[in-house]
Amino acid sequence: MMLIKGKHINRALSINSSLHVNVGGLKLEDAFDGKSAEFDFIATFGDHILLIEMKCLRRTYSPEEIFQTEQEVNYGVEQVKRRALVLQENWNKIRQVATIDLPIYPPEPMKMIKVVCLNIFNFTAKEREDVIITDVSSLTKYFVNPTVEQFEIGDTRKKQVSIPFGKRNTLLLQNSKNSFKNPIQLQIYTIV
């Protein structure tokens, strides 16, 4: 499985003109709790803030590996929750070091989209403690290239399914969690 680093995701998602991506990383040496805080990905998306924690994990095979991976995902959830809190508590410091324009006041918690992005598919479309868990393929499909090829049993031709950018961006802003909980790759398999 291809491992994708955070800087590659930053570049890939920068293609979407609706996202204003902070480039070059964002780090605070002394956050409100006395610890440093490093943001893997922060962007504005309309009046929302998109926070993404990237986790590069190995595919799991044994129960022990599954347990360890589960712990890593939980750690990612805690990290992105803390970063959201750092954002709220240290908004002025964040504004000073960010490479994107941020509003004067911090966003309301409901305007923060918190995501843990993985390189494996085991946790895609799950949510824990108001944090969306997805995979890099679903994330980039959603923001960069929404086309998914679909083959039907007994059909000799393939179909392509996609959602236009405008509709996707409106959907995300109206109901961000549901957009990631039901990515287009999973929608085409919904039984009607």
Side-chain angles (χ1 to χ4, degrees):
M1 169 159 298
M2 184 169 74
L3 302 179
I4 298 185
K5 301 258 187 211
K7 64 183 176 181
H8 301 301
I9 296 293
N10 284 351
R11 259 184 270 152
L13 296 183
S14 294
I15 292 170
N16 185 324
S17 61
S18 297
L19 282 177
H20 301 283
V21 178
N22 187 81
V23 293
L26 196 148
K27 185 172 184 175
L28 289 182
E29 293 299 330
D30 188 27
F32 75 97
D33 57 3
K35 302 175 187 173
S36 66
E38 189 169 345
F39 292 75
D40 288 353
F41 181 94
I42 183 172
T44 58
F45 189 54
D47 62 348
H48 287 66
I49 297 287
L50 179 60
L51 293 174
I52 303 175
E53 172 64 26
M54 315 287 184
K55 289 288 176 198
C56 210
L57 304 172
R58 291 179 18 185
R59 179 175 268 158
T60 57
Y61 298 100
S62 72
E64 182 182 356
E65 290 173 335
I66 292 169
F67 177 78
Q68 289 171 343
T69 301
E70 191 76 43
Q71 297 306 309
E72 279 294 315
V73 171
N74 290 339
Y75 179 62
V77 168
E78 292 306 314
Q79 284 181 299
V80 79
K81 283 175 37 188
R82 179 178 174 267
R83 286 183 182 87
L85 192 56
V86 168
L87 214 124
Q88 291 285 317
E89 298 293 325
N90 296 116
W91 184 249
N92 289 330
K93 287 182 181 181
I94 298 284
R95 287 185 69 224
Q96 290 173 358
V97 295
T99 62
I100 53 175
D101 289 330
L102 295 170
I104 294 173
Y105 300 105
E108 300 170 21
M110 291 179 57
K111 298 279 185 170
M112 283 195 268
I113 304 166
K114 300 177 291 264
V115 178
V116 173
C117 182
L118 310 172
N119 63 314
I120 59 174
F121 305 105
N122 306 45
F123 300 89
T124 296
K126 295 190 182 194
E127 181 181 5
R128 291 189 184 153
E129 301 177 44
D130 199 33
V131 176
I132 299 158
I133 303 168
T134 192
D135 63 86
V136 69
S137 175
S138 294
L139 189 71
T140 54
K141 281 273 185 214
Y142 187 82
F143 284 110
V144 181
N145 181 11
T147 303
V148 176
E149 290 184 352
Q150 175 183 3
F151 291 92
E152 292 183 2
I153 296 174
D155 200 352
T156 56
R157 63 191 167 118
K158 62 184 173 184
K159 297 178 183 179
Q160 288 191 337
V161 180
S162 68
I163 300 174
F165 267 137
K167 184 177 176 188
R168 284 182 296 122
N169 291 347
T170 302
L171 285 172
L172 179 62
L173 286 173
Q174 288 174 350
N175 199 349
S176 59
K177 291 179 188 170
N178 288 336
S179 298
F180 284 111
K181 284 165 110 177
N182 190 15
I184 189 170
Q185 294 91 322
L186 300 180
Q187 289 174 16
I188 61 178
Y189 297 105
T190 304
I191 298 173
V192 243

